[in-house]
Amino acid sequence: MSTTASPPRLHSPATARVWAVLGVYVLSTLAASAALLAVQPHSGIDPAALALVQFGPTLGALATWLTFRKTVARLLPAAVSARRVAANVVAMVTACVVFWLVITMAAVMSGTTLVGPAAVGSLPFAGFLLLQLIGAGGEEIGWRGLMQPILESRMTRFAAISATGATWALWHVQAFMAGPVTAACFFVSAMAFAIVLGYLGNGSFGQRVLTASIGHWLFNIACYLLAGDNTLDRPQIVFIASSTVVVAAGVMAVRALRNHRTQYRPGLDHERSTR
């Protein structure tokens, strides 16, 4: 694992202003999420198909952008090559497929019934897939698109991933009302998957949102295929937590191996050496 800090931005804003940006993002995300939770019962939208609260981070990011537009523009990272984005997407899809295979194998070996590609109420599974992709993007605009890269301007990438992951996990309040075992498993799975999303998403705001949204979407779909809308039930949540840790460990091991190899290949450019 590399803990090298991200390259400093030119004319980086004062640290106090950066923390003010993050404070506005977190507070506005919480306020927007509370409002969306209140609106959901009156919207006619089945929360199992699309939870409106997933757009809380988008609204938080929008409020932050409108309040600190120039500061945010200076803090967000530059784009990377399309080839690197494509490689990151492939790696993300691979990690999510491995996750799905592991939780499926755990369910089969334990005799746990798999829900599979079932309809959500009157919504066909294909429609559910589309709504879940939109919802995943709604979250990642704020978490991996805005919060993590801003944190990277003031701390190591691993620390930024951890801080973003912890905030993201705690934002899922309902998981921490389901008992200590469920809460612990959920927190572990969120932190582990934050590592996957955080390390495999690189480049500009849009590039990071794209890669992280695909990963978030596939992760949610894999969990639904396992347990439907009851992903906090046991033993399913235990399978999810342990499998996510396995996948995160694999991502970090590959990253460490790649960083080790670059130490003996000095001709590599900066982009490849900081993957």
Side-chain angles (χ1 to χ4, degrees):
M1 176 187 68
S2 172
T3 56
T4 303
S6 300
R9 277 74 167 176
L10 295 177
H11 310 296
S12 181
T15 297
R17 191 167 183 83
V18 173
W19 289 115
V21 170
L22 290 168
V24 168
Y25 167 69
V26 172
L27 291 176
S28 57
T29 294
L30 292 176
S33 298
L36 290 170
L37 284 171
V39 167
Q40 182 90 54
H42 308 287
S43 66
I45 300 173
D46 185 349
L50 179 66
L52 295 181
V53 71
Q54 289 182 283
F55 300 100
T58 294
L59 295 177
L62 177 60
T64 305
W65 172 257
L66 293 175
T67 307
F68 296 102
R69 181 174 301 185
K70 292 183 179 179
T71 302
V72 171
R74 288 155 60 188
L75 288 169
L76 292 179
V80 297
S81 67
R83 181 178 179 181
R84 185 176 179 190
V85 174
N88 288 334
V89 169
V90 170
M92 185 71 77
V93 172
T94 301
C96 290
V97 169
V98 171
F99 169 73
W100 171 70
L101 289 173
V102 174
I103 60 173
T104 300
M105 183 173 62
V108 171
M109 292 179 65
S110 67
T112 302
T113 302
L114 294 165
V115 171
V120 180
S122 60
L123 182 68
F125 185 69
F128 172 73
L129 290 177
L130 176 60
L131 291 181
Q132 285 296 298
L133 177 59
I134 295 171
E139 289 193 42
E140 293 307 327
I141 284 173
W143 300 123
R144 256 59 61 169
L146 183 76
M147 185 176 184
Q148 182 184 314
I150 289 179
L151 283 171
E152 286 176 17
S153 72
R154 289 300 181 273
M155 58 183 68
T156 66
R157 189 164 195 182
F158 181 76
I161 288 171
S162 299
T164 303
T167 308
W168 178 47
L170 294 172
W171 174 71
H172 292 81
V173 178
Q174 74 281 6
F176 296 91
M177 301 172 65
V181 174
T182 297
C185 287
F186 180 84
F187 188 79
V188 168
S189 63
M191 291 298 290
F193 200 59
I195 289 174
V196 178
L197 296 174
Y199 274 130
L200 295 183
N202 295 284
S204 66
F205 169 83
Q207 291 172 328
R208 289 180 180 229
V209 170
L210 172 65
T211 307
S213 296
I214 291 172
H216 194 151
W217 174 55
L218 293 175
F219 179 84
N220 285 351
I221 295 303
C223 292
Y224 181 83
L225 293 173
L226 170 68
D229 195 39
N230 301 313
T231 53
L232 295 180
D233 289 353
R234 284 189 278 172
Q236 291 91 335
I237 188 63
V238 178
F239 299 158
I240 291 170
S242 56
S243 301
T244 310
V245 169
V246 169
V247 172
V251 168
M252 294 182 73
V254 171
R255 176 180 169 81
L257 178 61
R258 182 175 295 167
N259 287 342
H260 176 74
R261 287 177 176 175
T262 61
Q263 294 177 6
Y264 300 97
R265 299 172 66 185
L268 293 179
D269 60 23
H270 176 75
E271 178 184 315
R272 293 185 62 189
S273 65
T274 55
R275 287 183 183 179

